[in-house]
Amino acid sequence: MVNVLDEIPPSAMRDKWGWFVALGVFLLICGGIALGNLFIATVASVYYIGMLMLIGGVIHLAHAFQVRGWEHILFWVLSGLLYTIAGILAFANPLLASAALTLFLAIALLIAGTFRVWVGRKLKPERGWIWVVIGGVVTALAGVAIALGWPVNSLWVLGLFLAVDLIFQGWTLMAFGFALKR
């Protein structure tokens, strides 16, 4: 497998440290804006996901007529229709889509956290296993907290996740850029 970073000379990245810092600052600003209005950030997240589902559905439908055999065409057409309908519904009713996505997020966090606790317990003889368990408990508790506040918290949870992600990515890119400068 080819590693893209192996092809970039270190000096080329060091010369562009300012771009990393600038992108980090931009992402921090976007994260701050999202944090300032979590409802709008949630709606933007739903529209983004809806757009991806709509594009995916159209591509599935186009692909359906490229395969041979009725059973294969039927699978791709149904899959494409479901994606397309879900994308359209996200645009038609972003609040309902937000509620569905928030519930899905709560369930996913609960499952992921439980799995991490189980993995951490399996690592018990190794040093640091407790950190895996603690991380799993925190993730599972986040899922439970989101589920307990559902559907009311659907108005802001996705926006909060987007804002926090933008802020962390901004800080990360700034730190990376300043580290490259040194």
Side-chain angles (χ1 to χ4, degrees):
M1 179 186 274
V2 177
N3 188 351
V4 176
L5 294 178
D6 288 343
E7 299 172 9
I8 301 172
S11 62
M13 283 189 24
R14 274 191 215 105
D15 292 342
K16 304 295 182 191
W17 71 269
W19 287 100
F20 287 105
V21 172
L23 179 57
V25 168
F26 176 72
L27 290 177
L28 273 174
I29 291 169
C30 289
I33 291 169
L35 199 56
N37 195 337
L38 294 176
F39 175 73
I40 296 297
T42 295
V43 172
S45 298
V46 169
Y47 282 159
Y48 177 72
I49 292 168
M51 178 187 62
L52 292 177
M53 294 179 87
L54 194 57
I55 291 169
V58 169
I59 291 172
H60 267 80
L61 288 171
H63 177 72
F65 299 103
Q66 304 297 318
V67 296
R68 302 284 180 236
W70 176 248
E71 64 279 352
H72 297 293
I73 290 174
L74 183 63
F75 167 76
W76 287 105
V77 167
L78 287 175
S79 180
L81 284 175
L82 287 174
Y83 266 100
T84 303
I85 291 168
I88 290 170
L89 288 176
F91 281 99
N93 193 343
L95 297 180
L96 178 62
S98 169
L101 290 170
T102 302
L103 183 60
F104 178 73
L105 176 65
I107 292 167
L109 288 173
L110 184 58
I111 291 169
T114 303
F115 182 72
R116 288 179 188 156
V117 168
W118 179 75
V119 167
R121 299 280 300 158
K122 292 287 187 185
L123 295 173
K124 193 169 186 175
E126 300 296 326
R127 291 178 56 186
W129 68 272
I130 192 68
W131 291 109
V132 177
V133 171
I134 291 171
V137 168
V138 169
T139 301
L141 286 176
V144 168
I146 291 170
L148 289 176
W150 186 83
V152 175
N153 62 5
S154 305
L155 299 175
W156 57 268
V157 165
L158 298 176
L160 179 64
F161 272 67
L162 174 64
V164 168
D165 181 62
L166 287 169
I167 290 168
F168 272 100
Q169 290 302 314
W171 281 114
T172 300
L173 286 173
M174 286 178 57
F176 181 65
F178 286 128
L180 284 175
K181 183 182 177 189
R182 279 189 248 141

